[in-house]
Amino acid sequence: MVVLKNVAKTYRTRRGEVHALSDVSLHIEKGEFIVLCGPSGSGKTTLLMTIAAMLRPTSGSVCIDESDLYGINIRERAKFRARNIGFVFQMFHLVPYLNIIENVLLAGRVFGQNPRADTAGDLLKQLGLAERAFHKPAELSAGEKQRTAVARALFNRPQIILADEPTGNLDPDNADSVLGHLSEFHRSGGTVIVATHGQTAERFADRVVYLRDGSIEKSG
Amino acid sequence: MSILALILKEIHHRKINFALGLLAVVTAVTLFIGFFTAGKASNRETARLMLSMGYNMHIIAKNADMNQFLITGIADETMPEQYLTKLASQKRISYNHLLATLQKEISWRGLDVILTGLAPEVCPPGRKKPPMSFEIEPGSVYVGYRVAESLGLKQGDRVKIREKELTIFRCLAESGGADDIRIQCRLPDAQEILEVPGRISEIRAVDCLCFADANDLVTVLRKEIGSLLPEAQVFQAKAIAEARAGQRQMVRNLFAVIMPFTIIACGVWIGVLAIMNVRDRQQEIGIMRALGYGSGPITLLFLGKAALIGLLGAVVGFLLGTALALNFGPDVFKLTAEKMIKPEIFLLIVSLIFAPVFAAVSSFIPAMIAVVYDPAVTLREE
């Protein structure tokens, strides 16, 4: 379970302070599919990064399974992230010099062991990328890149997948395909949190949380 | 996939960045090898050139007429040959070369010639140096230009000097000096001809210095050598000694000015390239952070790449620097290049140790920049 209590995040810029999140409290049950919705600048990505243990809030707390994410040191937080959280980003963020299977295996290498290539191969097969396994990201379509990112997110069998505008650069068919794979993960008991300003993801969601100016406008 | 595999794949992907980094290290190593080799060759060349001016320290018999020696360059008295080994084996005076000679003006076939007997040159223990003078085989002679010309002598001729039969090993080219009327043979042969077994007339030294602190080196040397060789007197060809020391200092100064400048310039060059590389890879660093990679692997990615560039640059720079020295050295150092300019394995070892460290140090700040990148910021940027 993910619990955010009175989370606020303020960025200090040359032009003054920007309140990206203000007093956000949110409970996300294990196995829930949540869509964080809202216009650009509403704080969706900031909230996602805060849940991802990558952005310390200015105030408030973030707990996952009763573990306070920002009460542990940075090394422990990185370990926690590697074991429990998978990421999917709008810009895919694949490593350009690694082929597809190596990009997926990169997620497993973090534990200092040689990750199993056959597991990565199975994942790519499930996501329809088996024939692209040895291609470089530059040789793939946007949809294939995003499915590779999904495979990488799934590789360590995380509890939670955080997706930031995962369909932002995809055509409707590919968007459906990617959301379908996230939904499959959700059906197998995983928690999915998707930040988006569109409405494509809402039909897969158990709950939609609307953000505006850094606060939760409504949830339901 | 290991960090090394990641580094190699990234190098393969960003070939230009790698090539430019490699070029910086190769430049630094090549210049280092080039300057070092040139400096060493320059010292040797100077020594060789100064050989014609003579050695910078002379030790002759105490009762020899100094005025006569200064006029003719030949001591009229002799001293024991053991003085050479005595001087060579003591520890208070340093030297680079010691040469014992026996010289006497004689009349031979109607010509006034200088008979010079040369003992094998002595170098400090453990410091084998190329000889500054001839190494003459027993029973052989080197004949000066005027002697050979006047008497119609040629290489291979058998000649008799007093009762001793010798073979002409070489007739020397014209020198325009006393060497033109000199007949040079091995010391024992000269001793036999002149009937002074176990005697020498002079010990010449190069870079003879006393370890004691003193402003007036000659006085100190005289004192030290005086107690060691009681039948000897010492004097220094000061101008030659100073010229040699001055030339060496000049090469050292040149090395000291140019090398740090080159190394700093190449270091900045590598650093700038590393910063560009880090900027190019912000997203990659961000995703690795998001995947849970700590500072160690990220630092290793950049410092490892730098070390690899340094290692390869050391090998290429060594080969290039040596090739340049071998190719152009003989044009610059005409007298000694053939013997002195050769691949120096210890320079390769030095390069292999220092170039990776140098490249890694140059990339340290960029690597630290990579480590402190905030993944939340880099992954949000589109």
Side-chain angles (χ1 to χ4, degrees), chain B residues 319-336:
Chain B
L319 294 176
L320 193 63
T322 304
L324 288 174
L326 288 172
N327 197 35
F328 295 111
D331 293 337
V332 182
F333 308 106
K334 293 183 192 300
L335 296 174
T336 58

Side-chain angles (χ1 to χ4, degrees), chain A residues 11 93 97 102 106 109, chain B residues 1 9 283-284 293 380:
Chain A
Y11 293 109
H93 295 319
Y97 53 83
E102 287 167 342
L106 193 66
R109 168 71 179 74
Chain B
M1 203 180 338
K9 281 174 184 288
Q283 307 274 315
E284 177 193 334
Y293 283 83
R380 208 165 35 189

